Amino acid sequence: MKKLAIGILAHVDAGKTTLTEGLLYVGGALRKLGRVDHRDAFLDTFALERERGITIFSKQAVLPLDGLELTLLDTPGHADFSAEAERTLQVLDCAVLVISGADGVQGHTLTLWRLLMRYGIPAFLFINKMDQPGTDRTALLAELKSRLDGGCVDFSRSEAERGEEIALCGEEAMEEYLASGELKDETVAELVGERKLFPCVFGAALKLDGVEELLEGLRRFAPVPVYGDVFGAKVFKISRDLQGVRLTHLKVTGGTLRVKDLLSGSRDGEDWQEKADQIRIYSGAKFQPADAAEAGTVCAVTGLSRTFPGEGLGAEAASAPPTLEPALTCQVFLPDRCVPHTALMQLRQLEEEDPQLHVVWQEQTGRINVQLMGTIQQEILQRVLKDRFDLDVTFGPGALVYRETIAAPVIGIGHFEPLRHYAEVHLLLEPLERGAGLRFATACPEDVLAFGWQRLILSHLAGWSYPGVLTGAPITDMKITLLAGRAHEKHTEGGDFRQAAWRAVRQGLMSAQSVLLEPWYDFSLTVPTAQTGRAMADLQRMGGEFAPPEAEGEDTQFTGSAPVSALRDYAAEVIAYTRGQGRLVCVPGGYRPCQKQEFVVEAAGYDPERDLENPADSVFCAHGAGYLVKWSDVPSHAHVDSGFHLDGRPAEDRAAGPAARSSSYAGTVEQDRELQAIFERTYGPVKRRTFQKPLPAVSGEAELRAAPRPAGPEYLLVDGYNVIFSWDELKTVAAERLDAARRMLCDLMSNYQSFRKCEVILVFDAYKVKGGTEREERYQNIQVVYTKETETADSYIERITYQIGREHRVRVVSSDGAEQVIILGHGALRVSSAGFHEEMVQTTGEIRNILQKNNLYGKARPMREAMTKALEEKKE
């Protein structure tokens, strides 16, 4: 039997759970139709959900149809629980996005749409509540096409009416439609699977209007995946049943999972193996035990204690970290006589089950902090702690959860060499685009450091959260590449490389230009037209970004983004000055550079050099004793030369040998005692240890080898105005006529492209052109781009470099130092305007020599013919 995992997603109050209830009822899985407002919905299995009338935890229900088994996964709709919905996306074959016909596309709807796009999940759209007065199907469909995708097609119409519009979504579909006048179900399903077509069904779930049409559409047009024979599974949720048994919710993505099968994985750098004691197929609050689960089955497994959401088992790879992260943090106040460590264990249990909850234990102060998505999640957490553990807690005032990153690449070096231990690690830290998280790779040859040690270092790096040096906030949006390292034949252990790697990261951060990131919200603000000026002034004062306001009857709507710090209390302010007629909806919008970095850093009072748990200094050894070397002096004491230089100079020969070791011991008795205490706390009493085999490879945590440079055509991106005002001959022309200088540069680049055979993209800055949109045009054989308003040429080049650099060699011509650093972080080669001028002079000379040699130079024949023959000779 074919199996499909279908996720039901929506903005809060769009009718998602009601639709799920209707699908189960129409499909014959339910005999009685429940309702959310009657507190008897089939999938509202928790008392707290029935009380509040919202979905808090994702649940599943099995719906068997003729030849097809659907597993419906109902996900939370409130933005505070959006990470729970994101985790569920990892196991979906298809999704149904529910949209309220009365409200249209809302803020959280766009967030869910972007997540579906990110995970490449085919989607059906159900436009609900069409029975409410004022709903307009034509206007709603136009909004879906403009704000979501042009492939949204109304499937509530007959097949004959919608056939032509579907055919426009793909060339093969158009050929089939023109040939036969109709489309096969397989063709439509293929378009849906490729996310070129998004079937839309209009109805009212509460009255079962349109539910049967949606179910029929899923049965006929939802693409069915093909699974392999090798076992694989993806974990998407951890929960506990009423008896406290730990459940690992997963989808089998290949082969078959049987009871008592031995499963293995890795967590926190340690491998584990455990048996699947029981397989449960849940439908609502009840489950059926199963002896085996075939590919495509969504089930819960008992007996696994080390699994976590996003983990891949068997042949399945682990998922990337979620894009949605908590934005608020607050202290947990425990009742009198409550042992903090007991409460911490209980919170850790909830943290394991709730992806949005992050628990932070401060050892020095004995405080417990929690990071949350919002106030609703805080209230739910308070209630769950009371119901499950009889623990009454309160929370302190909320503060923002900041992140830190770096502005430019930097090399970090860590050395750990107390007596009879040895490890050295060199790392390259590079900034990544916003929302990328942390990535790990190695560019270290195996003749410098054995493969097993490299694997171990990457495992240690991937299993740690790195505090920044500005406020101690976690580091994000950074790539860490292993450049070099050294082990000792007898004295190196795995823990030594852990110490060296962590110190290398910290030393690099201390040397880098750090950037503080603050959370932003994407918002939708609706106010009466009379309050438009007040709202616009407020948003400008907040430093937000927003589109021109749009009129909606007697109201005005603003959409945009603004810092969380500015919008936190603004909802209450909106209600006050609009007398209850205004509405503010916010959803997480990622992190951006903090607008008040100096103020926040000063208020945090964090001193990175006093953070004893995260040292940046290294430990060296001389005359049989260890001594500390300050982070700033570590490079001059390092024993290895990585051969990598950030200034662009050629790499040094690695065979040249290590740097000279320090010949004197400068440590004090107090430092010796400090080192001894640190060492014994980490490893126990000092004793001679023999060589230990490196830990086994950990799957899915990091790239093991640097990706080879692409062999395709090279791209050359040129900052046009930067070059024009850097080259004297062009600058002189530009002083009189800028357009003439642009044309001269275009001609030069056209000749350059013909001779060098690279793809040239010439970018001109139009960010101050009022109302300008991004424009691309072809000039002879090169591409010329004029940026849109508010986007500078270097911003465009930074964005395109990141996209193209994944598959092509890229060079960027600019004299902008900041831009050169950024594109270096994206893997591109930087070329200064002055350096490229010399290259252009050389190229022009070579072209002239070839033309003269063939007696073509100066003759009255087309330039194109001359260039063609010259280039043909050059090839010969």
Side-chain angles (χ1 to χ4, degrees):
M1 179 181 289
K2 297 180 181 179
K3 297 176 180 289
L4 275 177
I6 307 291
I8 316 295
L9 303 95
H11 189 285
V12 65
D13 292 334
K16 171 180 48 59
T17 302
T18 303
L19 175 62
T20 308
E21 197 85 6
L23 290 171
L24 294 171
Y25 180 77
V26 171
L30 292 181
R31 295 182 179 179
K32 179 185 175 183
L33 188 63
R35 289 179 53 156
V36 174
D37 54 348
H38 293 174
R39 301 184 180 181
D40 60 354
F42 179 71
L43 288 180
D44 281 346
T45 56
F46 291 86
L48 191 55
E49 291 178 314
R50 294 182 174 178
E51 290 177 14
R52 286 182 169 263
I54 61 173
T55 302
I56 300 173
F57 307 102
S58 60
K59 272 93 57 183
Q60 74 179 67
V62 178
L63 177 56
L65 301 174
D66 184 19
L68 178 66
E69 181 180 276
L70 299 182
T71 299
L72 302 180
L73 293 165
D74 186 20
T75 63
H78 199 284
D80 278 16
F81 306 101
S82 50
E84 174 87 0
E86 183 178 2
R87 293 288 192 187
T88 307
L89 294 181
Q90 302 170 14
V91 298
L92 297 184
D93 300 315
C94 191
V96 175
L97 181 61
V98 185
I99 298 172
S100 170
D103 300 312
V105 177
Q106 298 172 274
H108 191 51
T109 308
L110 293 173
T111 299
L112 294 171
W113 186 257
R114 287 193 290 265
L115 290 175
L116 291 172
M117 186 184 305
R118 181 194 182 201
Y119 289 99
I121 299 173
F124 288 70
L125 278 64
F126 186 82
I127 297 81
N128 194 22
K129 302 184 180 180
M130 292 300 295
D131 56 333
Q132 294 190 7
T135 53
D136 185 339
R137 177 181 300 201
T138 303
L140 285 168
L141 186 62
E143 182 184 16
L144 297 178
K145 287 178 176 291
S146 64
R147 301 192 67 184
L148 299 184
D149 194 280
C152 295
V153 176
D154 185 0
F155 269 55
S156 297
R157 298 180 296 168
S158 66
E159 294 189 27
E161 293 177 306
R162 69 191 186 218
E164 183 176 344
E165 194 171 356
I166 295 174
L168 292 172
C169 296
E171 293 183 6
E172 294 182 3
M174 177 60 75
E175 292 176 1
E176 180 181 328
Y177 184 75
L178 292 175
S180 62
E182 58 184 10
L183 294 171
K184 299 176 183 177
D185 286 1
E186 294 79 5
T187 304
V188 178
E190 186 176 350
L191 291 173
V192 173
E194 294 173 352
R195 286 183 53 84
K196 296 179 179 178
L197 171 65
F198 302 94
C200 301
V201 178
F202 292 80
L206 193 60
K207 297 180 179 179
L208 300 181
D209 181 20
V211 175
E212 189 170 351
E213 288 83 352
L214 175 62
L215 195 58
E216 178 67 10
L218 291 171
R219 188 186 65 79
R220 292 177 57 188
F221 307 125
V224 179
V226 178
Y227 299 105
D229 298 328
V230 180
F231 169 74
K234 175 61 65 67
V235 179
F236 68 96
K237 178 183 174 183
I238 303 297
S239 70
R240 284 169 174 79
D241 64 11
L242 296 177
Q243 287 71 42
V245 177
R246 189 180 191 270
L247 301 175
T248 298
H249 297 261
L250 54 84
K251 178 188 176 184
V252 181
T253 57
T256 302
L257 174 63
R258 295 179 175 83
V259 174
K260 299 303 179 185
D261 274 357
L262 190 64
L263 301 178
S264 60
S266 177
R267 185 169 186 177
D268 299 330
E270 297 182 4
D271 293 342
W272 58 263
Q273 283 190 332
E274 295 175 330
K275 287 184 179 180
D277 291 339
Q278 189 181 32
I279 298 175
R280 301 179 178 181
I281 309 296
Y282 271 89
S283 190
K286 299 180 180 179
F287 70 87
Q288 292 290 336
D291 295 329
E294 299 176 348
T297 303
V298 179
C299 59
V301 178
T302 66
L304 306 180
S305 62
R306 303 292 302 278
T307 50
F308 58 90
E311 182 177 15
L313 302 177
E316 185 69 32
S319 298
T323 58
L324 303 176
E325 296 181 329
L328 302 176
T329 181
C330 57
Q331 183 180 351
V332 180
F333 293 107
L334 303 175
D336 295 339
R337 299 181 181 179
C338 177
V339 180
H341 285 281
T342 301
L344 180 62
M345 288 190 295
Q346 294 167 342
L347 282 165
R348 292 287 187 203
Q349 189 179 116
L350 298 182
E351 179 184 36
E352 188 179 50
E353 301 171 15
D354 187 349
Q356 306 99 319
L357 176 64
H358 293 179
V359 180
V360 181
W361 166 248
Q362 298 179 342
E363 182 74 36
Q364 297 177 345
T365 61
R367 291 181 177 178
I368 300 177
N369 283 8
V370 291
Q371 297 175 2
L372 305 158
M373 299 290 287
T375 56
I376 299 297
Q377 187 190 3
Q378 185 183 84
E379 295 172 11
I380 299 300
L381 174 62
Q382 192 174 30
R383 176 65 180 273
V384 171
L385 285 170
K386 175 62 178 176
D387 292 347
R388 188 184 295 188
F389 306 112
D390 194 26
L391 180 63
D392 287 305
V393 302
T394 56
F395 299 97
L400 295 183
V401 176
Y402 291 94
R403 294 284 187 269
E404 295 184 26
T405 188
I406 57 177
V410 68
I411 293 177
I413 302 174
H415 189 95
F416 189 70
E417 192 186 1
L419 186 61
R420 295 173 183 158
H421 289 268
Y422 185 93
E424 182 167 303
V425 172
H426 293 236
L427 302 173
L428 173 64
L429 313 183
E430 302 173 274
L432 293 177
E433 70 281 3
R434 295 291 168 260
L438 293 176
R439 299 177 186 170
F440 307 89
T442 179
C444 178
E446 291 185 33
D447 59 347
V448 174
L449 186 64
F451 178 78
W453 289 127
Q454 294 188 39
R455 182 73 182 187
L456 183 61
I457 291 171
L458 292 176
S459 298
H460 288 319
L461 290 172
W464 190 254
S465 176
Y466 303 99
V469 296
L470 295 176
T471 64
I475 286 291
T476 187
D477 300 344
M478 187 171 74
K479 182 178 181 181
I480 303 178
T481 303
L482 174 62
L483 297 178
R486 175 169 292 181
H488 192 278
E489 234 175 67
K490 297 181 179 180
H491 300 316
T492 299
E493 297 185 353
D496 300 339
F497 271 117
R498 179 175 66 243
Q499 286 285 339
W502 291 351
R503 291 169 189 266
V505 174
R506 192 71 172 173
Q507 194 269 342
L509 293 176
M510 293 290 287
S511 308
Q513 178 185 351
S514 294
V515 178
L516 187 68
L517 304 176
E518 65 176 335
W520 277 51
Y521 277 148
D522 292 334
F523 68 83
S524 173
L525 173 62
T526 303
V527 298
T529 303
Q531 304 294 338
T532 301
R534 163 69 185 272
M536 186 175 295
D538 287 347
L539 295 176
Q540 291 173 343
R541 173 179 49 83
M542 296 173 185
E545 302 172 355
F546 55 93
E550 298 179 0
E552 291 188 350
E554 298 181 355
D555 294 333
T556 301
Q557 184 180 45
F558 294 85
T559 57
S561 304
V564 172
S565 57
L567 286 177
R568 279 181 62 189
D569 303 320
Y570 189 59
E573 191 174 340
V574 169
I575 294 175
Y577 75 72
T578 63
R579 298 182 180 180
Q581 295 179 331
R583 183 179 61 177
L584 175 68
V585 178
C586 299
V587 295
Y591 278 79
R592 303 189 191 183
C594 182
Q595 298 180 348
K596 301 178 180 179
Q597 175 169 317
E598 293 184 4
F599 173 79
V600 175
V601 171
E602 183 178 355
Y606 177 73
D607 186 350
E609 299 200 34
R610 294 188 178 184
D611 188 346
L612 301 180
E613 295 182 1
N614 299 282
D617 303 337
S618 284
V619 180
F620 287 80
C621 184
H623 303 299
Y627 64 99
L628 289 173
V629 172
K630 189 175 178 61
W631 63 269
S632 54
D633 299 327
V634 169
S636 62
H637 288 70
H639 295 175
V640 180
D641 182 4
S642 68
F644 187 91
H645 301 278
L646 291 176
D647 58 6
R649 290 183 291 121
E652 299 289 337
D653 185 4
R654 293 182 186 275
R661 298 178 62 133
S662 175
S663 58
S664 61
Y665 171 57
T668 63
V669 176
E670 289 75 13
Q671 287 176 322
D672 284 348
R673 289 173 180 170
E674 179 186 357
L675 289 169
Q676 183 77 7
I678 294 173
F679 177 80
E680 292 192 351
R681 283 201 306 269
T682 306
Y683 301 105
V686 176
K687 59 182 180 181
R688 187 175 185 82
R689 302 190 181 194
T690 58
F691 176 79
Q692 293 183 357
K693 184 179 179 180
L695 294 176
V698 180
S699 63
E701 285 191 348
E703 308 167 30
L704 285 183
R705 301 189 181 280
R709 293 299 296 170
E714 178 180 275
Y715 276 78
L716 179 70
L717 275 72
V718 181
D719 188 334
Y721 288 133
N722 196 301
V723 169
I724 286 176
F725 292 104
S726 297
W727 295 4
D728 292 338
E729 57 270 42
L730 294 178
K731 186 177 181 180
T732 302
V733 175
E736 297 183 3
R737 288 188 59 188
L738 185 60
D739 59 332
R742 282 200 302 264
R743 180 62 61 88
M744 288 180 61
L745 180 58
C746 289
D747 289 335
L748 288 171
M749 296 310 306
S750 180
N751 291 341
Y752 181 92
Q753 190 279 336
S754 299
F755 190 74
R756 297 297 183 187
K757 293 300 181 185
C758 60
E759 297 292 333
V760 175
I761 302 177
L762 183 56
V763 184
F764 289 109
D765 202 325
Y767 80 102
K768 290 185 178 180
V769 179
K770 204 66 177 176
T773 59
E774 184 178 308
R775 180 164 56 92
E776 298 182 8
E777 60 184 39
R778 200 75 183 171
Y779 183 87
Q780 298 181 12
N781 53 353
I782 67 172
Q783 183 178 351
V784 180
V785 176
Y786 295 89
T787 66
K788 62 184 178 182
E789 182 188 4
T790 73
E791 183 176 38
T792 59
D794 56 336
S795 298
Y796 176 89
I797 291 176
E798 177 187 346
R799 172 165 57 88
I800 298 302
T801 301
Y802 174 72
Q803 297 173 1
I804 300 177
R806 300 174 180 177
E807 300 179 358
H808 299 276
R809 294 188 298 270
V810 180
R811 293 199 305 157
V812 173
V813 177
S814 172
S815 60
D816 190 321
E819 181 183 331
Q820 292 186 29
V821 169
I822 292 172
I823 62 98
L824 175 65
H826 289 172
L829 178 65
R830 48 187 179 154
V831 182
S832 67
S833 297
F836 186 67
H837 184 267
E838 296 178 3
E839 186 177 340
M840 178 62 77
V841 171
Q842 180 184 357
T843 300
T844 304
E846 291 181 18
I847 295 174
R848 183 181 295 109
N849 291 337
I850 293 174
L851 295 176
Q852 289 174 342
K853 183 178 179 181
N854 287 274
N855 198 26
L856 297 174
Y857 185 76
K859 291 191 174 184
R861 63 176 60 196
M863 184 67 177
R864 185 180 302 276
E865 180 183 348
M867 288 292 294
T868 301
K869 290 187 176 181
L871 292 171
E872 286 178 355
E873 180 185 359
K874 184 176 185 293
K875 291 180 181 178
E876 294 175 357

